[in-house]
Amino acid sequence: MSKTSAVDTIGILTSGGDASGMNAAIRAVARTAWDRGVKVKGIKRGYSGLLNREIFDMDRTFTGDIISRGGTVLFTARCEEFKQEEYQKKAADICREEGIDGLVVIGGDGSFRGAQKLAAQGINTVALPGTIDLDIPCTEYTIGFDTAVNVAMEAIDKIRDTSTSHERCSIVEVMGRNAGYIALWCGIAAGAEDIIIPERFDGNRPKLEAKLIDSILEKKALGKKHHLIINAEGIGHSYGMAKRIEQGTGVETRATILGYMQRGGSPTAKDRVYASYMGALAVDLLCAGATNRVVGYRNGQYIDYDIEDALGMQKDVDEYEFQIAQVLGR
Ligand code: ADP
Ligand code: F6P
């Protein structure tokens, strides 16, 4: 063990939905730990793998050739039973038996709750925000968001070609669970005419569709040859919407749901670099004796928060960004 480190062995797990850049984070955690004289254990399949002792000594070969790969080489899983204290205690005992005295959890806010519970059981734990949805309030960046937005943007560019050629309207549904960040970003990046997000939806679907119909007719009159609508998963109903919009406008309308392609693919440079920085920082926090922390990125800086505080924070889409998206779509 390094003389200066508060931990001897760091375990790493990925939990919840996979996100591109998780491998860069795993690599950074392992290599920084080794540099600091700390041993590393990989835990497969999230909390479920921890409970099943799917734990192995990580060596340098494991972290080779992974920075450019999407997904997570540690696999990921959801584990309902981990929400019960009995299993959290069991997991902490397993960590102690395996000599794991520091843990890095890479996942979304559900995974953070698990990390918090393990910290309460005496395992020093630091969490990293890994989700394509960007729906974690304490941070302006989450691992995988940038790649997902770029994948969606490229797909929408392709859909635009056929939409223009056939002078159609296209509704493209993107992921994000209850958050509209992916929709807003890929919508602006791909020059969409309309972007619909849960954060700015009052629940009145007929009103929303009437507004879209007006928008299509207005832009057609201005000479537009296509009309791209980006619809967030949290709004959904893209196929039904397409039918009703076609009936209301007389413009042929097609819906495409992009789905899991947004979770995969080689991570962008941004996801690789930010994930690398966050992975290294997690290790240095653990080596300094920190626990129950989550790493975020805010106002141009990497920063760490108490997990409880982080889970209590709130955030919203930038109103100016939402407004200009509409101006630029005209
Ligand atoms: P994400 O981490 O992407 O938000 P989930 O919400 O599915 O994904 O959470 C991932 C896993 O984290 C869950 O399957 C469970 O094992 C663990 N988890 C979620 N909520 C809690 C909780 N309240 N207490 C303990 N563990 C939790
Ligand atoms: O959280 C990432 C995400 O891809 C969401 O955008 C989506 O709602 C959800 O996961 C899908 O989850 P699953 O992999 O369980 O289908």
Side-chain angles (χ1 to χ4, degrees), residues 17-18 78 131-133 135 175-177 182 233 260 263:
D18 68 326
R78 295 196 166 99
T131 168
I132 65 166
D133 302 333
D135 59 350
M175 277 187 166
R177 208 181 289 262
I182 296 178
E233 174 185 21
Y260 292 103
R263 287 244 291 266

Side-chain angles (χ1 to χ4, degrees), residues 5-213:
S5 175
V7 291
D8 175 54
T9 303
I10 290 178
I12 319 172
L13 64 83
T14 49
S15 167
D18 68 326
S20 280
M22 282 182 164
N23 289 329
I26 293 166
R27 173 180 177 271
V29 169
R31 292 188 176 183
T32 307
W34 291 324
D35 181 71
R36 309 298 193 243
V38 172
K39 294 188 280 297
V40 180
K41 292 205 175 191
I43 301 162
K44 290 183 182 170
R45 300 179 182 85
Y47 296 120
S48 153
L50 176 55
L51 288 169
N52 294 328
R53 291 182 188 265
E54 294 184 74
I55 301 170
F56 61 98
D57 292 326
M58 201 179 280
D59 64 16
R60 290 201 166 264
T61 57
F62 189 82
T63 62
D65 273 341
I66 66 170
I67 194 163
S68 58
R69 285 168 58 190
T72 162
V73 289
L74 285 175
F75 307 103
T76 186
R78 295 196 166 99
C79 175
E80 265 309 299
E81 60 187 10
F82 198 72
K83 293 179 182 168
Q84 296 165 40
E85 197 179 355
E86 175 194 349
Y87 291 97
Q88 295 155 10
K89 281 200 168 111
K90 185 178 166 197
D93 287 342
I94 291 172
C95 283
R96 279 184 277 271
E97 284 159 28
E98 293 281 340
I100 295 172
D101 50 2
L103 183 69
V104 177
V105 170
I106 309 168
D109 53 4
S111 304
F112 292 0
R113 288 184 201 284
Q116 185 189 27
K117 301 289 164 46
L118 275 174
Q121 295 294 336
I123 305 300
N124 284 6
T125 305
V126 173
L128 299 184
T131 168
I132 65 166
D133 302 333
L134 194 66
D135 59 350
I136 298 181
C138 72
T139 182
E140 293 159 8
Y141 166 81
T142 60
I143 297 167
F145 173 73
D146 192 59
T147 304
V149 166
N150 278 283
V151 166
M153 179 193 72
E154 284 168 21
I156 297 162
D157 286 347
K158 293 180 173 74
I159 290 170
R160 172 199 282 269
D161 291 344
T162 184
S163 198
T164 306
S165 303
H166 287 263
E167 299 178 71
R168 281 178 181 159
C169 169
S170 289
I171 302 179
V172 184
E173 185 173 314
V174 297
M175 277 187 166
R177 208 181 289 262
N178 300 316
Y181 296 101
I182 296 178
L184 184 55
W185 269 65
C186 69
I188 293 174
E193 276 66 35
D194 283 294
I195 301 170
I196 324 168
I197 57 173
E199 292 88 341
R200 297 292 181 274
F201 176 53
D202 63 7
N204 187 336
R205 289 185 185 273
K207 189 174 101 190
L208 171 70
E209 290 175 14
K211 212 174 143 199
L212 290 170
I213 288 169

Side-chain angles (χ1 to χ4, degrees), residues 20-26 28-29 128 141 143-144 269-281 302:
S20 280
M22 282 182 164
N23 289 329
I26 293 166
V29 169
L128 299 184
Y141 166 81
I143 297 167
K270 178 170 180 171
D271 275 328
R272 296 182 199 192
V273 174
Y274 280 49
S276 296
Y277 195 119
M278 286 181 158
L281 188 55
Y302 296 89

